Amino acid sequence: MKPKSTTKLYHPRKNPWSKEIKRNWPLYVLCIPSLAFVSIFAYGPMVGLLMAFQDYKPWLGITGSDWIGLDNFERIFQYEDANQAIVNTLIIAVSKIIVGIIVPIVMAILLSEIRNVGIKKSIQTLVYLPHFLSWVTVAGMMIDLLGLEGGINHLLTSLFGIEPVYFLGDPALFRPTIVISDLWKNFGFGMIVYLATIAGIDPSYYEAAEIDGATRRQQIWHVTLPSMMPMIIVIATLSLGNILDAGFDQIFNLYNPLVYSTGDIIDTYVYRSSLLNGQYGFGTAVGLFKSVISFILIVISYRLAYKLANYRIF
């Protein structure tokens, strides 16, 4: 018998995208409002980036203002205030990243060692609640507590006889105040992430360590921390993308001219330069400079997260 031919006939395949859209078209229709919102409010205003290359005059508009090339970007490094804002942004952002990684890890480990479920849940809820407060609300609380006649100064004066300290008006104290208040508001969220990581550790690891005679401290050091390390690496590397984001909402609601030397960041500097002083082109150039650097750092951080911890979004 003549053997059958194993050659397969070629059948043209339909476009998989058209088949996908035809099958799930209701879901794509639901995406239209979101796409329209993003296009109008996120991508549409990007036309204004042209002002970074112009001596922009509002009464002339983008089409009528003179083009000056990269002059606005050169001025970023010529103005002492702009350079100071960049330095302040780096110091505050890096400080927030460091304490925002270390403190949640320590708190998650300590909370995981509590055996009473009621106490554990109560503490977890209390430290997580501030995350839902807006910075306008938190700033109002801080101004009342840290003002010259606030509750903290009242305690310092009555108990220790210390002169009132203007925490939000002293350049030397403003940065620590910003970092500590940000930590108080947000570390509960990070702690939840690490608690979930600890809950996913195989109990047999602890049982084996206990059989070998390891104490609780040794179990934390040799079992808990190594098991948390992939998540720690992911969060630490992804935080690199926020290295130029010191928190506009927080600082805008707390800073004042007395602390510009240590508290003025890129975002607040752009706000004052463009909206208050009318230097729209220069303010746009500073904002574009920050956005480009942040984009590069985000790409690098995701590459590092993929290589070090095999983390990827797509």
Side-chain angles (χ1 to χ4, degrees):
M1 293 181 60
K2 186 176 181 181
K4 294 182 178 180
S5 175
T6 57
T7 303
K8 295 183 179 180
L9 297 177
Y10 174 75
H11 296 285
R13 297 178 60 185
K14 293 183 178 180
N15 189 343
W17 283 104
S18 61
K19 186 176 180 180
E20 168 68 18
I21 294 175
K22 185 177 180 180
R23 183 172 62 241
N24 296 316
W25 68 266
L27 300 178
Y28 288 99
V29 171
L30 290 175
C31 292
I32 292 176
S34 299
L35 293 175
F37 181 87
V38 172
S39 300
I40 295 172
F41 294 101
Y43 292 102
M46 291 181 69
V47 177
L49 294 177
L50 295 174
M51 291 188 296
F53 307 94
Q54 294 179 321
D55 181 16
Y56 180 77
K57 307 295 183 185
W59 56 89
L60 297 177
I62 293 179
T63 57
S65 299
D66 296 331
W67 293 90
I68 58 175
L70 300 177
D71 289 356
N72 285 325
F73 293 92
E74 293 177 0
R75 290 165 58 195
I76 296 176
F77 303 98
Q78 295 173 355
Y79 286 1
E80 183 179 352
D81 293 343
N83 291 328
Q84 187 62 52
I86 295 174
V87 172
N88 294 338
T89 301
L90 290 173
I91 293 174
I92 294 174
V94 171
S95 300
K96 285 183 177 182
I97 291 173
I98 292 174
V99 300
I101 292 175
I102 295 175
V103 175
I105 292 173
V106 175
M107 288 299 298
I109 292 174
L110 293 177
L111 196 60
S112 67
E113 294 298 313
I114 298 177
R115 301 306 175 194
N116 189 306
V117 178
I119 296 176
K120 184 176 181 179
K121 293 294 184 182
S122 300
I123 296 175
Q124 184 174 325
T125 302
L126 288 174
V127 300
Y128 189 54
L129 280 177
H131 180 73
F132 296 99
L133 299 177
S134 68
W135 273 117
V136 176
T137 304
V138 174
M141 296 167 54
M142 291 182 61
I143 291 172
D144 291 336
L145 288 173
L146 301 177
L148 291 175
E149 298 180 356
I152 302 297
N153 277 313
H154 179 72
L155 289 175
L156 293 175
T157 303
S158 59
L159 296 179
F160 304 103
I162 301 176
E163 292 293 328
V165 179
Y166 194 11
F167 293 95
L168 298 177
D170 187 345
L173 296 176
F174 186 75
R175 285 175 185 165
T177 303
I178 289 295
V179 174
I180 293 172
S181 60
D182 179 80
L183 176 66
W184 172 79
K185 184 178 183 297
N186 295 316
F187 87 92
F189 178 80
M191 187 189 69
I192 296 296
V193 175
Y194 291 118
L195 277 175
T197 304
I198 294 174
I201 299 175
D202 191 345
S204 63
Y205 295 160
Y206 294 101
E207 295 172 0
E210 190 173 355
I211 292 174
D212 291 338
T215 62
R216 290 302 303 175
R217 183 179 299 178
Q218 291 173 331
Q219 291 177 32
I220 292 173
W221 185 258
H222 295 287
V223 177
T224 306
L225 281 175
S227 300
M228 295 173 64
M229 194 55 63
M231 181 57 67
I232 295 173
I233 292 174
V234 168
I235 293 178
T237 52
L238 295 183
S239 297
L240 292 176
N242 298 323
I243 203 168
L244 289 181
D245 186 8
F248 173 80
D249 293 342
Q250 177 192 16
I251 294 180
F252 179 75
N253 286 285
L254 290 174
Y255 85 147
N256 56 76
L258 295 175
V259 294
Y260 280 173
S261 60
T262 59
D264 193 23
I265 61 173
I266 295 176
D267 293 330
T268 55
Y269 183 75
V270 169
Y271 168 78
R272 291 201 322 278
S273 298
S274 57
L275 297 182
L276 299 185
N277 298 335
Q279 299 179 2
Y280 299 101
F282 176 67
T284 304
V286 177
L288 180 59
F289 169 77
K290 176 201 167 183
S291 299
V292 171
I293 300 300
S294 297
F295 176 76
I296 295 173
L297 291 174
I298 289 173
V299 173
I300 294 174
S301 65
Y302 275 98
R303 293 297 299 172
L304 289 175
Y306 175 69
K307 288 186 176 181
L308 298 177
N310 198 28
Y311 172 84
R312 62 188 305 172
I313 297 179
F314 305 106

